[in-house]
Amino acid sequence: MIEHDIRPAVAADVPAVKAVTDAAYHPYIERIGVVPQPMEADHAAEVAAGKVFVTGDTVLGLVVVEAFADHLFLDSIAVHPDAHGTGVGRRLLHFVDAHARALGLPEIRLYTNAMMWENQRIYPRYGYEVVERRVDGPYDRVHYRKRLG
């Protein structure tokens, strides 16, 4: 899979979007003590709104993004556990960079649960810096941003 194999999700992808999201986030339920927010998202509405991009014909990974006036918000990135270590996540993160640039946005923002420590090792490797740590309801989140040059 290469970057141009990432495409906007369509209605027919909704079951796969849900399945990949659930598979990716399910292991965190016990660790963080609540269901991760992406698992509770209205996937059909997000797809209909054009916020979801998936990997090629077989959905092994996806991103949910939303454009704002001054940044692209990376709401969720999910890679099916069967595809871990195959570069799917890296390609999705590169896609997000390219998508933000294509929209003329100067930065990308995201947050991850403080208990998802794996993510806190990954994002800095891709140019993200910690902005703050904040509790939002039941979620203890580390907020990141990446300025695009």
Side-chain angles (χ1 to χ4, degrees):
M1 182 189 76
I2 51 179
E3 281 78 2
H4 67 266
D5 288 335
I6 298 172
R7 60 175 174 78
V10 296
D13 294 318
V14 170
V17 168
K18 177 174 177 25
V20 170
T21 300
D22 287 353
Y25 285 94
H26 189 270
Y28 294 112
I29 294 172
E30 185 175 347
R31 187 189 303 172
I32 67 176
V34 293
V35 173
Q37 200 169 9
M39 292 178 72
E40 304 205 317
D42 184 339
H43 302 295
E46 289 178 339
V47 168
K51 296 178 182 180
V52 183
F53 294 83
V54 298
T55 54
D57 296 331
T58 302
V59 178
L60 296 174
L62 62 104
V63 290
V64 180
V65 295
E66 185 172 358
F68 291 91
D70 62 346
H71 71 280
L72 185 68
F73 178 61
L74 174 52
D75 189 29
S76 176
I77 180 167
V79 175
H80 195 282
D82 292 347
H84 285 179
T86 64
V88 171
R90 181 184 74 243
R91 290 180 184 108
L92 287 164
L93 287 170
H94 288 312
F95 167 81
V96 170
D97 289 359
H99 188 61
R101 285 189 176 99
L103 295 172
L105 297 172
E107 75 178 36
I108 301 162
R109 297 180 190 166
L110 64 85
Y111 54 72
T112 189
N113 192 287
M115 297 296 288
M116 296 179 181
W117 50 79
E118 301 88 343
N119 296 342
Q120 295 174 55
R121 288 195 298 266
I122 293 169
Y123 293 128
R125 283 191 257 156
Y126 290 92
Y128 288 87
E129 60 182 346
V130 173
V131 176
E132 67 177 331
R133 181 169 173 177
R134 186 172 72 226
V135 174
D136 298 309
Y139 304 103
D140 182 0
R141 294 174 169 154
V142 179
H143 293 252
Y144 290 85
R145 77 171 169 214
K146 179 179 185 175
R147 292 188 174 127
L148 301 173

